[in-house]
Amino acid sequence: MFASRTFLHLCSILFLFQCVTSPIKNTPLKEESHILSWDKRESEAVKILTDLIRIKSVRGNEKRVAEYIRSIFEKEGIKTKLISEPGFPDRVNLIAELEPSVPSSEKGLILGNHLDVVEADPKEWTEDPFAGIIKDGRIHGRGALDCKGLIAMQIISFLELKRSAVPLKRKIMFLSMADEESGSERGARFLLRAHPELFKGYGYMLNEGSFGTRDVAIPGSIIFNIQYAEKGNLWLNVKAKGDQGHGSTPSQNYPSLRLLKFLTEVLEYDSEIRISEETQGFFYQLGTISRFPNSFILKNSNIPILRRLLYGPIRASRQLSAITRNTKAVSGLKTEEGKGHNVLSSLAEAKLDVRLLPGFEPLEYLKEIQKIAEKYEVEVEPASTVSSDKSKLDSILFQTVASVATRKIPGSVAAPFISPGKTDNAYFRQIGMECYGLIPVLLNEKELTMLHAKNESISLENLKLGTQILFEILHQMN
């Protein structure tokens, strides 16, 4: 009797809420008659990636990478354009295009990537981060995953599309951009501001933004996380000023102490978990590969009484926590006390990296942080603000990516993903383009921690998988 009453009570609760449904549709696909032959292209892809890693393009020097890519395309008879902002000749962007076989009204597709990488200290790495060493079935080096590996996959896919003479119904652009790792000012932002005509007739972009995962969110799972939305950016410069003092007689209000108290309160502010409309589809897809009762809970994450049951697993996961919370991270600390331990600096500074869920505007959120700053006599100024953004889930590109990837790996699922970090997709969404992010490889938990960290590498098997999936997406879109 008790069980039946509980069930009836639960049914009455469910009736009050609109059911979440799967965002993935059954998209009909062509036969894989043009699937890329990896045996013919493996050595070519490996050489391209190792060569790219050896070009040290740490937050700059994109020109050398672009010239290398241009040399590959020109050997195949593909014309390229190198474009840089006046005054920044080494911050180069590269564009190459394949035209449709006959005039077409279909919107074009852009393969997007970026040429720069982040820093790497050789002393912290097992292998030289800029040597492109192949060892134990993996290519090691900075950019292997983010995102020179993607560039190599896209180059082979782009070339094979031309070589195989697949009839094109839409134009395809290969777009390598500068400066993505430092805010895209010399790359995507510059191109859209100064050369919007380049993107006339294009409606879709497939870029970085997420990865496939193996055995991460759910034991035994294989999930292709397709980025369709991004959190907003709020980067802040923080300063606390005051009189220099002696460490043996500290006041109650010296700058470093005020800054520390401020940062402590900000990090604890607004730590609530939110499963929004943008993440419900992701949790639904996890439910499709889970056992009851977890499957039921995940598929109905919009219901408050069930949503709370997910809070424990979310808090235990960095990735899940990042897509369900407004996060704050202290990304820099600096004082001017000199070399001694006995000086209280007159200036203490910090950098804050705040990432906001959809529905939170950066400048409004800044006002709340500035209210906290007033209590500690701390100055807070924005360094960069970008609002959250998203693309449609029912677009032909999103559904094609999902169908191609899951057909390639039986038993896998595709899930819409809101990425915690910003990519160049954000700027192209601002002009109405439908943009999605997926480097179609399968990474485990350890491999995910390599991003922007030491010992970054990619397996030869993942290089193969990603290249074949990307080529098949291009084939299906044409």
Side-chain angles (χ1 to χ4, degrees), residues 417-474:
F417 185 75
I418 177 170
S419 66
K422 267 285 177 267
T423 69
D424 286 329
N425 286 340
Y427 310 110
F428 285 87
R429 287 189 182 112
Q430 291 175 4
I431 65 167
M433 197 171 291
E434 300 293 340
C435 303
Y436 305 95
L438 176 66
I439 300 179
V441 297
L442 295 175
L443 305 184
N444 58 34
E445 191 77 50
K446 181 181 178 181
E447 290 170 311
L448 286 171
T449 65
M450 295 176 179
L451 298 169
H452 287 204
K454 64 181 181 181
N455 297 329
E456 182 180 355
S457 65
I458 186 173
S459 69
L460 295 176
E461 191 61 31
N462 265 326
L463 184 61
K464 170 185 177 180
L465 175 66
T467 307
Q468 290 185 325
I469 289 176
L470 282 176
F471 175 77
E472 188 60 21
I473 289 169
L474 294 179

Side-chain angles (χ1 to χ4, degrees), residues 1 85 114 133 175-176 201 245 247 253 282 361 384 417 445 464:
M1 175 66 77
E85 184 174 1
H114 63 86
I133 291 172
L175 175 62
S176 290
N253 212 30
F282 171 79
E361 281 303 315
S384 176
F417 185 75
E445 191 77 50
K464 170 185 177 180

